[in-house]
Amino acid sequence: MNYYSLKNASPEVDFREATLRGQAPDGGLYFPRSIPHYPEKFFVDARKIPDVELASLIIKPFIGGAIPCDDVEEIVAETLNFPLPLVPLSDQIFSLELFHGNTLAFKDVGARFMSRCLRYFVKSIDRRIVVLVATSGDTGGAVADGFYDIPGIEVVILFPSGKVSRVQELQLTGHGKNIHALEVAGNFDDCQRLVKTAFRDGELNNRAFLTSANSINVARWLPQQFFYYLAYKHWPYEGSVPVISVPSGNFGNVCAGLLAQSSGLPIDHFIAACNANDTVPEFMRSGVYTAKKAVHTISNAMDVGDPSNIQRVLALFNNELNSLAKVLSSVSIDDHHTRQRIAEVFNKSGYILDPHGAVGYVALDDYLESHDTRGIFMETAHPIKFSEEIEPLIGSKIPVPPILESLPAEHHSQRMGTDYQELKEFLKGFG
Ligand SMILES: *Cc1c(COP(=O)(O)O)cnc(C)c1O
């Protein structure tokens, strides 16, 4: 399988190159040259195939020989090391819980998959691989956990001092070994600027192989298709096809669902559920795309004003908004309604939503008001990560999952200012 740049000004590359580079040299996102298509019979049989086997079948054409088949199966098995249960909230609404991984967020799947692909590719690189990421909280934890103790790869994570939650900080700093957490005396934008400067620094890049683990990397994007195939497999109503509502920020997850649907996976309709950051709902309403400045909400992992993956979404539909609109709706749900419905759902059913899943839930519930069908919303994070917000709303304590009790209590991090030279000196240590 080859990948081309959506800006069309860079050469095509294979899966290995696309993963190592992250983004094409022209600044475009990589997109698969062709999309596999499966006949109806495949999906009938798929229900009987074990999860890891099915996921491996799906991802293999995208890897296209860049990793041998046996290794792909091992990577997929290590990626899907936690359950993704489909939990009914009512006759009509199911929660696809994607938060049972080590860092209690769905990003664990993409991060684990990518880290293991890089572990394979590291063998053919003559320099040390340094994965460099800036995080506002969630991504860093998933990357730290996914890459922990992977031989040949050093991970450097920049996070803004005092601006991540306690759980997030423990997830970033608890590992040590090949995970280097840098606590930057600044905000997230400072961290991002430092990382971008390092990627442009020729001297540094000659010493070590710098790569990013951000969500536009194909090795993080593509395995998110697993959620949709496994949801289909475990959907209890064989005669009907669900609507799927996806809490969306950078639109990587929902785009993976649309990709799976282009391969023939039966899904009735998609809802891209956004918080107050309504760039895409506005785009679909007006036909004009206007990037906005992100606003802060309680579902902060979705605070994105200019979602990168909208380019991939449009590419899937030949840039025809009308064809896209037949398959995807996008709505914006504000914090006020999100809070209200979190309390309502808890009082009615005892189910505890997190602020991100709640946006997906509300969008689905609203949709079902006028559509006689059933649906799934994705619960992308465990509510305990947002206990300060959720507990007062439900008037009750959230049970602590065992994985949190076993979080390492050690603290490995180094403080750093916002001056680039300081980061450069640190990174030179890997050259
Ligand atoms: C990243 C994230 C999202 C948004 O996913 P995208 O693929 O960026 O649209 C939703 N919920 C949680 C908890 C996240 O961490």
Side-chain angles (χ1 to χ4, degrees):
M1 170 77 73
N2 269 2
Y3 293 82
Y4 68 96
S5 163
L6 289 178
K7 288 199 172 152
N8 283 313
S10 293
E12 283 192 16
V13 295
D14 67 357
F15 178 76
R16 175 182 174 279
E17 276 294 305
T19 298
L20 286 167
R21 284 181 186 274
Q23 206 161 354
D26 62 10
L29 270 63
Y30 281 121
F31 196 79
R33 176 48 76 196
S34 63
I35 295 168
H37 196 272
Y38 302 104
E40 231 169 275
K41 183 175 178 310
F42 174 87
F43 295 101
V44 177
D45 298 342
R47 291 185 184 273
K48 297 186 208 83
I49 304 177
D51 289 1
V52 168
E53 210 177 300
L54 177 60
S56 302
L57 267 179
I58 294 309
I59 205 72
K60 275 178 194 167
F62 291 96
I63 294 177
I67 301 175
C69 283
D70 286 352
D71 293 285
V72 173
E73 275 160 37
E74 195 184 313
I75 290 173
V76 172
E78 287 182 25
T79 300
L80 295 175
N81 72 333
F82 54 91
L84 307 170
L86 191 57
V87 177
L89 265 62
S90 68
D91 291 347
Q92 277 187 301
I93 297 189
F94 289 71
S95 169
L96 181 65
E97 296 186 347
L98 305 177
F99 56 71
H100 295 283
N102 285 353
T103 75
L104 306 171
F106 85 106
K107 289 191 171 74
D108 280 332
V109 164
R112 291 179 76 81
F113 187 83
M114 179 183 169
S115 63
R116 282 149 181 88
C117 291
L118 274 187
R119 177 180 66 192
Y120 184 83
F121 297 140
V122 82
K123 298 175 199 156
S124 57
I125 302 276
D126 56 356
R127 286 163 287 167
R128 191 112 59 121
I129 291 195
V130 179
V131 171
L132 189 59
V133 264
T135 185
S136 55
D138 258 11
T139 298
V143 168
D145 184 77
F147 283 81
Y148 178 60
D149 221 6
I150 300 268
I153 303 179
E154 301 293 330
V155 178
V156 178
I157 303 173
L158 283 73
F159 69 96
S161 179
K163 294 195 175 66
V164 300
S165 76
R166 195 188 68 87
V167 169
Q168 286 173 332
E169 181 155 347
L170 287 174
Q171 289 173 339
L172 288 169
T173 61
H175 293 286
K177 280 205 184 174
N178 64 328
I179 309 296
H180 311 275
L182 300 180
E183 183 174 346
V184 176
N187 57 26
F188 174 61
D189 290 335
D190 293 316
C191 297
Q192 218 161 17
R193 178 179 50 77
L194 287 167
V195 164
K196 281 189 180 158
T197 312
F199 281 123
R200 283 196 306 265
D201 185 328
E203 187 197 343
L204 211 51
N205 283 271
N206 285 333
R207 289 166 162 256
F209 189 98
L210 289 188
T211 187
S212 158
N214 64 16
S215 66
I216 59 169
N217 194 298
V218 294
R220 278 192 58 190
W221 173 49
L222 295 168
Q224 298 178 99
Q225 292 180 92
F226 300 162
F227 304 146
Y228 300 85
Y229 283 90
L230 298 179
Y232 162 80
K233 194 188 136 178
H234 297 290
W235 181 242
Y237 305 96
E238 264 193 51
S240 78
V241 177
V243 172
I244 301 190
S245 174
V246 188
S248 295
N250 212 17
F251 278 64
N253 189 1
V254 73
C255 186
L258 291 163
L259 179 62
Q261 194 195 36
S262 327
S263 291
L265 183 69
I267 293 168
D268 182 26
H269 191 74
F270 286 93
I271 306 168
C274 302
N275 57 28
N277 292 282
D278 63 353
T279 304
V280 176
E282 274 300 305
F283 169 50
M284 296 203 59
R285 196 186 54 75
S286 68
V288 182
Y289 185 89
T290 313
K292 300 188 178 184
K293 215 174 142 55
V295 297
H296 179 74
T297 72
I298 57 169
S299 45
N300 60 5
M302 290 154 47
D303 293 348
V304 181
D306 185 10
S308 328
N309 283 297
I310 196 69
Q311 299 303 331
R312 284 184 172 136
V313 170
L314 285 169
L316 275 171
F317 293 85
N318 296 318
N319 291 306
E320 289 163 22
L321 196 56
N322 286 341
S323 333
L324 172 63
K326 290 194 186 108
V327 177
L328 175 90
S329 321
S330 189
V331 295
S332 161
I333 312 289
D334 66 20
D335 279 355
H336 172 73
H337 285 97
T338 307
R339 287 195 174 100
Q340 205 175 21
R341 304 286 276 281
I342 289 172
E344 202 180 283
V345 167
F346 180 75
N347 291 333
K348 212 160 58 187
S349 68
Y351 195 82
I352 308 176
L353 294 161
D354 100 287
H356 304 79
V359 170
Y361 169 87
V362 175
L364 176 61
D365 197 37
D366 289 355
Y367 182 87
L368 294 179
E369 289 263 304
S370 54
H371 295 80
D372 184 21
T373 180
R374 297 188 178 92
I376 296 170
F377 69 97
M378 295 198 168
E379 238 312 356
T380 47
H382 194 293
I384 196 80
K385 292 184 97 169
F386 308 93
S387 53
E388 299 94 332
E389 178 62 39
I390 303 292
E391 286 177 352
L393 291 174
I394 62 173
S396 172
K397 279 269 176 212
I398 303 170
V400 177
I403 225 160
L404 266 197
E405 282 165 354
S406 62
L407 262 188
E410 291 157 55
H411 187 100
H412 310 265
S413 79
Q414 190 168 324
R415 286 174 185 276
M416 190 162 282
T418 53
D419 176 30
Y420 174 64
Q421 283 310 318
E422 213 178 325
L423 176 65
K424 182 165 181 170
E425 282 311 309
F426 181 82
L427 292 174
K428 274 182 171 175
F430 298 113

